[in-house]
């Protein structure tokens, strides 16, 4: 069950790993993300076959959107009754999938279980906690995630499998470096640039906050490449703001290959995305996160990732020197999807 952009990235290696061991995999797309740049391009580029079902739910308030997904999934799962439902990540599509399955007593696995921001104001935090407590199998990306689950009494249902986003990342970096990919077309500035993204509700939905973020990024002394998420685009228009200011270079949302390519070419990354913090960390780029906390706390070690919620001294934080590279790989070795599928198959017998 998928619906939003980061879930398509996590889906790709699971589909591949299922095919590798002869497990039938079928995809339900809730339709949470529906624009081509937010959805279709990921299926094309990551070579995932078209979803068998698309519920076409689209945008709406959290309750209305999640409720529409739940109704659609309930009807579909009642007919199909798969051996497992896999819910990915922490979006509204995730919690809808888990709830629909558990109500029908269909086993449900949560991939990327155990992440916590401990910030109850975040919709993603509600989705994570509810999904973990509903699920039968908790596929944790890291030991730290597993320790959060243990603290909530969920250790028995937990298996650490590594992070499937790293599987995809390694694969795509290899393709970009070997120039196998013809999609290696990220429009990027000449010379040094910072890559930035803004999409979290807590940053886009408050005009004062959004305006401060835009001003902060626009005043950086190097070009700031900014792929614009629809939530950001819509709020900028509604609030009468502009992204065509100072150092900012707004562009259409990137495909996955373009995003990885853009990170590789950057001097630093500034973001509120979870996945991008990790991708930049693995690719050795200093990250500045304009949030009060991160779920991916491993990235904070040695100062690779710095939390800068109040944006003070942003230019010095963003353009700090990169710390020394560490040999540690807290997110796994690029084989997490195989381990996840093994856990599912093993859980069947
Ligand atoms: C969702 C996830 C978030 C994830 C993000 C990745 C939840 C609660 N949030 O946030 O965790 O990091 O996806 O992108 O599930 N829109 C479009 N076209 C689209 C999709 C969205 O225009 O294809 C616009 C709509 O105005 C919509 C808004 O973006 O209201 C927000 O979309 P939504 O799916 O509700 O949440 P995201 O902000 O994308």
């Amino acid at each position: 069950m998928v619906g939003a952009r980061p879930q398509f990235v996590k889906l790709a290696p699971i589909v591949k790993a299922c095919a590798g061991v002869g497990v039938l995999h079928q995809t339900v797309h809730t339709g949470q993300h529906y624009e081509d740049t937010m959805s279709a391009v990921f299926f094309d580029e990551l070579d995932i076959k078209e979803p068998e079902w698309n519920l076409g739910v689209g945008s709406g308030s959290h309750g209305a959107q999640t409720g529409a997904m739940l109704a659609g999934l309930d009807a579909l799962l009642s007919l199909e009754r798969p051996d497992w439902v896999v819910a990915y990540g922490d979006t509204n599509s995730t919690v809808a999938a888990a709830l629909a399955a558990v109500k029908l007593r269909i086993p449900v696995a949560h991939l990327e279980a155990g992440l916590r921001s401990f910030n109850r104001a975040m919709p993603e935090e509600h989705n994570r906690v509810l999904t973990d407590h509903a699920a039968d199998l908790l596929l944790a990306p890291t030991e730290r995630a597993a320790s959060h689950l243990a603290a909530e009494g969920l250790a028995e249902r937990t298996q650490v499998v590594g992070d499937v986003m790293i599987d995809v990342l390694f694969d795509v970096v290899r393709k970009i470096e070997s120039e196998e990919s013809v999609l290696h077309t990220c429009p990027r500035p000449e010379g040094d640039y910072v890559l930035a993204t803004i999409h979290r509700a807590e940053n886009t939905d408050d005009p004062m906050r959004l305006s401060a973020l835009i001003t902060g990024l626009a005043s950086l002394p190097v070009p700031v490449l900014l792929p614009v998420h629809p939530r950001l685009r819509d709020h900028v228009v509604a609030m009468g703001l502009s992204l065509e200011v100072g150092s900012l270079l707004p562009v259409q949302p990137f495909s996955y290959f373009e995003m990885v390519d853009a990170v590789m070419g950057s001097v630093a990354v500034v973001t509120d995305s979870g996945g991008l913090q990790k991708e930049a960390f693995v690719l050795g780029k200093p990250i500045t996160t304009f949030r009060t906390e991160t779920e991916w706390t491993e990235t904070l070690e040695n100062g690779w990732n710095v939390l800068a919620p109040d944006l003070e001294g942003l230019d010095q934080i963003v353009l700090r020197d990169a710390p020394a590279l560490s040999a540690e790989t807290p997110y796994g070795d690029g084989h997490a999807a195989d381990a996840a599928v093994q856990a599912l198959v093993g859980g069947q017998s």
Side-chain angles (χ1 to χ4, degrees):
M1 310 270 173
V2 290
R5 186 170 63 175
Q7 294 172 314
F8 311 139
V9 179
K10 298 178 228 259
L11 174 70
I14 295 290
V15 171
K16 208 163 129 196
C18 283
V21 292
V23 169
L24 173 66
H25 179 287
Q26 295 187 304
T27 304
V28 184
H29 191 318
T30 62
Q32 178 172 353
H33 286 173
Y34 42 88
E35 288 178 19
D36 281 356
T37 54
M38 297 296 287
S39 178
V41 70
F42 291 82
F43 283 82
D44 288 350
E45 202 180 60
L46 297 170
D47 214 10
I48 316 169
K49 76 176 160 57
E50 287 266 306
E52 275 73 14
W53 299 274
N54 191 323
L55 303 179
V57 164
S59 301
S61 68
H62 289 282
Q65 188 184 53
T66 309
M69 291 172 189
L70 190 52
L73 292 171
D74 183 65
L76 179 68
L77 290 176
S78 305
L79 284 175
E80 295 295 324
R81 298 212 70 93
D83 295 319
W84 278 104
V85 164
V86 182
Y88 295 83
D90 57 15
T91 73
N92 291 342
S93 298
T94 314
V95 73
L99 202 48
V102 77
K103 291 282 182 195
L104 293 167
R105 309 192 70 143
I106 296 172
V108 54
H110 183 202
L111 188 94
E112 209 175 79
L115 293 199
R116 295 290 180 268
S117 65
F118 301 102
N119 176 354
R120 299 262 303 155
M122 286 178 76
E124 292 81 4
E125 186 74 354
H126 316 150
N127 293 340
R128 291 180 195 120
V129 173
L130 293 169
T131 302
D132 283 339
H133 284 260
D136 302 282
L137 176 62
L138 299 170
L139 301 168
T142 62
E143 294 296 339
R144 204 164 288 175
S147 75
H148 294 148
L149 295 167
E152 294 174 26
L154 300 173
E156 275 183 18
R157 297 186 230 160
T158 302
Q159 288 194 40
V160 177
V161 292
D163 189 331
V164 298
M165 288 190 93
I166 301 305
D167 298 14
V168 194
L169 181 62
F170 284 172
D171 207 30
V172 169
V173 168
R174 207 167 357 89
K175 285 183 179 150
I176 290 175
E177 282 178 344
S178 68
E179 306 218 11
E180 254 177 66
S181 165
V182 285
L183 294 160
H184 182 186
T185 54
C186 155
R188 53 171 133 155
E190 294 289 320
D192 287 354
Y193 68 89
V194 165
L195 174 68
T197 71
I198 311 173
H199 82 281
R200 295 266 171 208
E202 61 266 32
N203 286 319
T204 56
D205 295 12
D206 170 11
M208 298 281 284
R209 173 77 184 156
L210 183 55
S211 167
L213 275 172
I214 293 172
T215 308
L217 291 174
S219 9
L220 290 177
V222 292
V224 178
L225 187 60
L226 179 76
V228 181
H229 184 285
R231 179 186 277 281
L232 173 62
R233 176 196 66 203
D234 294 352
H235 282 87
V236 162
V237 172
M239 293 169 189
L241 300 169
S242 170
L243 294 174
E244 305 278 349
V245 279
S247 303
L248 280 184
L249 294 171
V251 290
Q252 289 295 312
F254 282 153
S255 73
Y256 187 71
F257 276 69
E258 287 172 339
M259 184 59 99
V260 174
D261 191 29
V263 175
M264 289 167 73
S266 71
V267 291
V269 170
V270 193
T271 191
D272 58 2
S273 150
L276 188 56
Q277 288 172 51
K278 231 177 349 170
E279 283 150 3
F281 171 78
V282 170
L283 295 173
K285 303 294 173 180
I287 311 132
T288 304
T289 301
F290 42 87
R291 287 179 46 197
T292 43
E293 72 287 305
T294 176
E295 299 77 27
W296 301 105
T297 46
E298 298 82 0
T299 61
L300 297 172
E301 274 151 37
N302 302 331
W304 276 103
N305 189 2
V306 170
L307 300 175
D310 59 8
L311 310 174
E312 212 164 289
L314 193 66
D315 51 346
Q316 279 171 25
I317 300 175
V318 171
L319 296 171
R320 68 193 184 276
D321 290 337
L325 282 170
S326 136
E328 279 182 37
T329 53
Y331 300 116
D333 58 3
H335 295 97
D338 291 334
V341 171
Q342 276 314 314
L344 289 168
V345 174
Q348 268 305 104
S349 57

